[in-house]
Amino acid sequence: MKRGIFISFEGSEGCGKSTQIARLESRLRDVGIAVLRTREPGGTAVGERIRDLLQHAPEGAGMTSEAELLLFAASRAQLVREVIQPALDAGTWVIADRFLDSTTVYQGIGRGLGLEAVGAINAFAVGERLPDATFLLDMDAAVGHARAVASRGDAPDRMEDQPLAFFETVRQGYLDLAKAHPQRIHVIDASDGIERIEQRIWLQCRRQFDEFFR
Ligand code: Z5A
């Protein structure tokens, strides 16, 4: 049996990850490929408790950047071993709504914890399990924020409640990361129309994982 393919989606808030993941999932199912979708932080019982602490619980209000980094890593360490790796071993494709690049960019660059420390913690959390492909949905941070606010309809959570400059730094951090990993990270213009973005992602998957579609 062929191992499943691991695809992650990255980008700043409101860039359209959930929208595109749903479309890719549906296209893959249509051609008979089993798909599992994950989100971070979260995706396991342990991870969902961590998500609440990171985003919503009042106890998270005074959290240090270092504690934040370790909590994101803890959620991912659980998700990789409990969900992602077993699914891939069973031949299921996994589409992740955020993975380790989020930690590199939000905590390493946005929070200023540094790429070396974050790289070491990321490696400990996920081991060898890197995505086969990553789609970075890139767009103006203010426009993405406006989209997220419009679709959410409630108050921003702890992670979203940052100044615009933080999200602009995050955007540049992602673009720099994509330059450093051009084989894995595909930059997609997320300001384009939903169908055109979907088509671009699908073409890349067909091209890159050709043998699964024959
Ligand atoms: N975080 C971190 O700091 N470190 C880490 O290691 C990890 C995460 C894993 C998780 O947020 C937060 O944790 C996030 C990073 C941080 N913080 N921030 N900010 P989350 O999981 O709650 O949410 P999110 O990942 O930021 O995504 P989102 O806001 O849910 O948005 P999205 O999934 O990317 O977008 P969407 O829901 O598909 O689309 C948003 C709206 O735009 C919706 O109305 C769509 O219909 C519309 N849309 C989508 N595409 C288009 C196009 N192409 N044109 C026009 N409108 C569109």
Side-chain angles (χ1 to χ4, degrees), residues 86-103:
L88 294 172
D89 290 344
T92 299
W93 286 37
V94 176
I95 310 180
D97 191 337
R98 299 191 178 280
F99 197 62
L100 86 173
D101 297 324
S102 286
T103 313

Side-chain angles (χ1 to χ4, degrees), residues 11-20 39-41 51 55-56 68 72-73 76 97-104 106-107 111 137 144 147-148 150-152 157 159-162 166-167 190-195 197:
S12 50
E13 59 163 350
C15 67
K17 296 185 305 313
S18 314
T19 304
Q20 293 302 330
R39 72 162 182 178
E40 289 200 30
R51 182 181 180 93
Q55 293 183 219
H56 304 292
E68 180 183 287
F72 278 116
R76 184 168 311 121
D97 191 337
R98 299 191 178 280
F99 197 62
L100 86 173
D101 297 324
S102 286
T103 313
T104 302
Y106 281 82
Q107 280 64 53
R111 297 290 198 218
L137 302 187
R147 270 192 200 170
S151 72
R152 190 172 53 226
D157 64 39
M159 289 306 302
E160 290 161 345
D161 200 13
Q162 309 293 328
F166 177 85
F167 296 107
S191 65
D192 209 344
I194 291 176
E195 276 75 26
I197 297 171

Side-chain angles (χ1 to χ4, degrees), residues 5-7 45 50 60 66 95 100 121 142 151 166 179 204 210:
I5 292 295
F6 182 25
I7 297 173
I50 293 175
E66 290 79 1
I95 310 180
L100 86 173
I121 288 165
S151 72
F166 177 85
K179 262 195 206 131
Q204 176 61 35
D210 176 48

Side-chain angles (χ1 to χ4, degrees), residues 12 139-142 163-175:
S12 50
M139 68 183 301
D140 180 81
L164 183 59
F166 177 85
F167 296 107
E168 283 166 348
T169 303
V170 162
R171 180 190 189 189
Q172 191 53 50
Y174 268 128
L175 290 172

